[in-house]
Short mmCIF file of all heavy atoms in Angstrom, two decimals:
data_model
loop_
_atom_site.label_atom_id
_atom_site.label_comp_id
_atom_site.label_asym_id
_atom_site.label_seq_id
_atom_site.Cartn_x
_atom_site.Cartn_y
_atom_site.Cartn_z
N GLU E 341 95.03 96.18 110.61
CA GLU E 341 96.10 95.04 110.86
C GLU E 341 97.18 95.18 110.00
O GLU E 341 97.22 95.73 108.88
CB GLU E 341 95.39 93.82 110.74
CG GLU E 341 94.82 93.21 112.01
CD GLU E 341 95.86 92.84 113.11
OE1 GLU E 341 97.07 92.72 112.67
OE2 GLU E 341 95.52 92.90 114.23
N ALA E 342 98.40 94.64 110.41
CA ALA E 342 99.56 94.49 109.55
C ALA E 342 99.03 93.59 108.44
O ALA E 342 98.26 92.64 108.65
CB ALA E 342 100.67 93.82 110.31
N ASP E 343 99.67 93.77 107.22
CA ASP E 343 99.48 92.94 106.14
C ASP E 343 99.88 91.53 106.46
O ASP E 343 100.95 91.34 106.88
CB ASP E 343 100.30 93.44 105.00
CG ASP E 343 99.98 92.65 103.68
OD1 ASP E 343 99.64 91.46 103.75
OD2 ASP E 343 100.18 93.30 102.56
N PRO E 344 98.89 90.56 106.42
CA PRO E 344 99.24 89.18 106.79
C PRO E 344 100.38 88.47 106.04
O PRO E 344 100.90 87.42 106.54
CB PRO E 344 97.97 88.37 106.66
CG PRO E 344 96.94 89.43 106.60
CD PRO E 344 97.59 90.61 105.98
N VAL E 345 100.81 88.98 105.01
CA VAL E 345 101.99 88.51 104.20
C VAL E 345 103.18 88.59 105.10
O VAL E 345 104.12 87.74 105.11
CB VAL E 345 102.21 89.23 102.90
CG1 VAL E 345 103.58 89.02 102.42
CG2 VAL E 345 101.16 88.83 101.97
N CYS E 346 103.21 89.59 106.01
CA CYS E 346 104.33 89.84 106.89
C CYS E 346 104.41 88.80 107.95
O CYS E 346 103.50 88.51 108.65
CB CYS E 346 104.21 91.30 107.54
SG CYS E 346 105.73 91.67 108.48
N SER E 347 105.70 88.17 108.22
CA SER E 347 105.79 87.17 109.09
C SER E 347 105.71 87.65 110.54
O SER E 347 105.52 86.89 111.44
CB SER E 347 107.23 86.52 109.00
OG SER E 347 108.20 87.48 109.16
N LYS E 348 105.78 89.06 110.71
CA LYS E 348 105.55 89.62 112.07
C LYS E 348 104.00 89.73 112.33
O LYS E 348 103.74 90.03 113.59
CB LYS E 348 106.23 90.99 112.17
CG LYS E 348 107.69 90.90 111.89
CD LYS E 348 108.28 92.36 112.02
CE LYS E 348 109.77 92.37 111.72
NZ LYS E 348 110.38 93.68 111.89
N SER E 349 103.19 89.61 111.53
CA SER E 349 101.78 89.82 111.75
C SER E 349 101.17 88.58 112.51
O SER E 349 101.61 87.36 112.37
CB SER E 349 101.06 89.75 110.29
OG SER E 349 99.61 89.67 110.51
N ASP E 350 100.21 88.90 113.31
CA ASP E 350 99.55 87.90 114.13
C ASP E 350 98.72 87.01 113.30
O ASP E 350 98.23 85.91 113.75
CB ASP E 350 98.68 88.68 115.25
CG ASP E 350 99.50 89.27 116.21
OD1 ASP E 350 100.62 88.93 116.55
OD2 ASP E 350 98.99 90.26 116.93
N PHE E 351 98.48 87.45 112.00
CA PHE E 351 97.59 86.72 111.09
C PHE E 351 98.42 86.08 110.03
O PHE E 351 97.80 85.78 108.94
CB PHE E 351 96.55 87.65 110.58
CG PHE E 351 95.49 88.07 111.58
CD1 PHE E 351 95.73 89.20 112.37
CD2 PHE E 351 94.34 87.28 111.87
CE1 PHE E 351 94.70 89.62 113.35
CE2 PHE E 351 93.39 87.66 112.78
CZ PHE E 351 93.61 88.88 113.53
N HIS E 352 99.77 86.04 110.09
CA HIS E 352 100.51 85.43 108.96
C HIS E 352 100.04 83.95 108.71
O HIS E 352 100.17 83.63 107.57
CB HIS E 352 101.99 85.47 109.35
CG HIS E 352 102.89 85.06 108.35
ND1 HIS E 352 102.93 85.65 107.12
CD2 HIS E 352 103.80 84.00 108.24
CE1 HIS E 352 103.78 85.04 106.27
NE2 HIS E 352 104.30 83.99 106.96
N HIS E 353 99.59 83.38 109.66
CA HIS E 353 99.11 81.98 109.44
C HIS E 353 97.95 81.83 108.49
O HIS E 353 97.78 80.81 107.90
CB HIS E 353 98.67 81.21 110.84
CG HIS E 353 97.37 81.99 111.41
ND1 HIS E 353 96.19 81.60 111.11
CD2 HIS E 353 97.22 83.07 112.27
CE1 HIS E 353 95.28 82.39 111.82
NE2 HIS E 353 96.00 83.30 112.47
N VAL E 354 97.16 82.99 108.30
CA VAL E 354 96.10 82.94 107.34
C VAL E 354 96.72 82.75 105.95
O VAL E 354 96.12 82.09 105.09
CB VAL E 354 95.29 84.31 107.47
CG1 VAL E 354 94.27 84.37 106.38
CG2 VAL E 354 94.60 84.46 108.79
N VAL E 355 97.77 83.43 105.70
CA VAL E 355 98.50 83.36 104.44
C VAL E 355 99.06 81.93 104.14
O VAL E 355 98.71 81.29 103.14
CB VAL E 355 99.51 84.38 104.23
CG1 VAL E 355 100.37 84.12 102.93
CG2 VAL E 355 98.87 85.81 104.14
N THR E 356 99.74 81.45 105.09
CA THR E 356 100.36 80.19 105.01
C THR E 356 99.30 79.10 104.87
O THR E 356 99.55 78.06 104.15
CB THR E 356 101.32 79.91 106.17
OG1 THR E 356 100.67 79.94 107.42
CG2 THR E 356 102.55 80.87 106.17
#
Side-chain angles (χ1 to χ4, degrees):
E341 266 295 338
D343 188 331
V345 163
C346 184
S347 61
K348 298 180 181 181
S349 168
D350 292 337
F351 290 89
H352 185 60
H353 65 90
V354 176
V355 171
T356 56

